[in-house]
Amino acid sequence: MLHADVAYRWTVPMLASEVGMSRSAFTKRFTERVGRPPLDYLTRWRMVLAQQKLKENQTVATVAAAVGYNSQSAFAHAFKRTLGRTPRSD
């Protein structure tokens, strides 16, 4: 689901409900299988996709919207927190 619609505003309760699990059971199983909690995984996946799009010379605003951020500022903050550099440095 996360890969099918990366820009969607996913929440743990939504994801857990979709697979018929409680939030805590879903988070535990997801973390065991993937190695990180669901929303942390989603943020990292979004940044991987964002890096690819930035390398294709797409604008920061276009990339931010494509990976689920309503503002360039929020996207830039998440990008720097996740990857340790600004989107413009890619």
Side-chain angles (χ1 to χ4, degrees):
M1 292 180 298
L2 299 176
H3 288 258
D5 192 355
V6 71
Y8 190 77
R9 299 189 65 79
W10 294 108
T11 65
V12 171
M14 293 164 83
L15 293 165
S17 176
E18 286 291 322
V19 297
M21 298 175 76
S22 71
R23 293 176 304 196
S24 59
F26 172 75
T27 299
K28 183 176 186 239
R29 181 164 299 166
F30 190 99
T31 303
E32 288 170 351
R33 293 187 182 220
V34 178
R36 60 183 66 232
L39 298 184
D40 185 49
Y41 174 83
L42 176 60
T43 299
R44 173 131 339 242
W45 178 239
R46 286 174 169 169
M47 296 308 126
V48 166
L49 295 176
Q51 281 182 296
Q52 293 171 354
K53 292 176 182 301
L54 290 166
K55 288 179 182 174
E56 296 168 359
N57 293 319
Q58 293 185 31
T59 67
V60 172
T62 300
V63 173
V67 297
Y69 289 86
N70 292 328
S71 75
Q72 290 182 56
S73 175
F75 168 70
H77 180 74
F79 193 96
K80 184 162 185 163
R81 184 183 67 243
T82 304
L83 301 176
R85 59 187 182 282
T86 67
R88 296 191 191 278
S89 66
D90 266 12

